[in-house]
Amino acid sequence: MDSAESRPHSADRHVGRQIAAVRVQSDISQAQLARSIGISFQQLQKYENARNRVSASMLFAIGNSLGVPVSRFFEGLPGNNGMSHCIPLLPVDERLDFIASAEGRRLIEALIKIHPRMRKRVSALIATFGEELAALNRKKEPGGRQSDAPLANGAGTFHQW
């Protein structure tokens, strides 16, 4: 098969991302949605990642389960002139791409296994790392070097806490 033929069509990627966006906005897990439409959560992941195409009947079932019309999954698709303007488009961004990725799923599955109090602490730690990295990026000197280089060669520490 030609490599162009093996890549998902842009419409399939768009529909998969919209399924994920509506599902996440509705606060429904992949497992819950998959169970409600009679498929495995792995199959739903394949739909959301456009590794498998969604049939019309399955798209209808997904829409019914999420409480949205099938047309919702095609909104914003280039060339789709019949889009409804009454339902606002949900943003599809890098967060949804991460959540739908294998890495994101592994991280979420691991976090769910942690006690809620510890999960809150891990979340705070990750947020702190993000803030520290953002601060480091703001401190970069014009030549691309860090002004205080706490992560020199990736082996340093952020700060002494």
Side-chain angles (χ1 to χ4, degrees):
M1 183 185 298
D2 178 337
S3 65
E5 292 175 9
S6 64
R7 286 190 302 245
H9 189 277
S10 60
D12 296 321
R13 284 193 306 272
H14 180 85
V15 168
R17 286 180 181 146
Q18 293 302 313
I19 292 170
V22 173
R23 180 183 56 75
V24 169
Q25 172 113 6
S26 301
D27 198 26
I28 296 174
S29 72
Q30 285 179 326
Q32 290 169 319
L33 178 56
R35 213 174 12 258
S36 76
I37 59 176
I39 62 172
S40 68
F41 80 91
Q42 292 93 340
Q43 182 61 49
L44 181 61
Q45 288 173 350
K46 290 178 182 180
Y47 290 154
E48 290 184 356
N49 292 318
R51 286 193 305 260
N52 285 5
R53 286 185 172 164
V54 186
S55 69
S57 59
M58 186 54 63
L59 199 55
F60 183 77
I62 292 170
N64 280 341
S65 184
L66 293 172
V68 298
V70 172
S71 61
R72 170 61 187 83
F73 303 117
F74 294 94
E75 289 180 359
L77 182 65
N80 184 16
N81 298 329
M83 77 184 225
S84 169
H85 297 288
C86 62
I87 303 172
L89 258 184
L90 296 175
V92 176
D93 61 21
E94 63 196 39
R95 292 172 294 181
L96 285 177
D97 287 340
F98 179 75
I99 290 169
S101 73
E103 179 185 11
R105 289 189 304 272
R106 282 192 305 272
L107 178 60
I108 291 167
E109 289 166 5
L111 285 171
I112 289 172
K113 293 177 184 175
I114 298 174
H115 188 278
R117 280 185 295 191
M118 181 61 75
R119 190 168 47 233
K120 186 175 182 179
R121 290 178 179 168
V122 169
S123 178
L125 179 63
I126 291 169
T128 300
F129 284 155
E131 292 166 7
E132 290 287 330
L133 288 172
L136 288 173
N137 286 335
R138 287 190 299 270
K139 290 181 181 180
K140 280 190 176 180
E141 295 176 349
R145 296 190 50 187
Q146 298 282 336
S147 59
D148 55 357
L151 293 176
N153 299 326
T157 58
F158 283 99
H159 285 288
Q160 298 286 338
W161 285 324

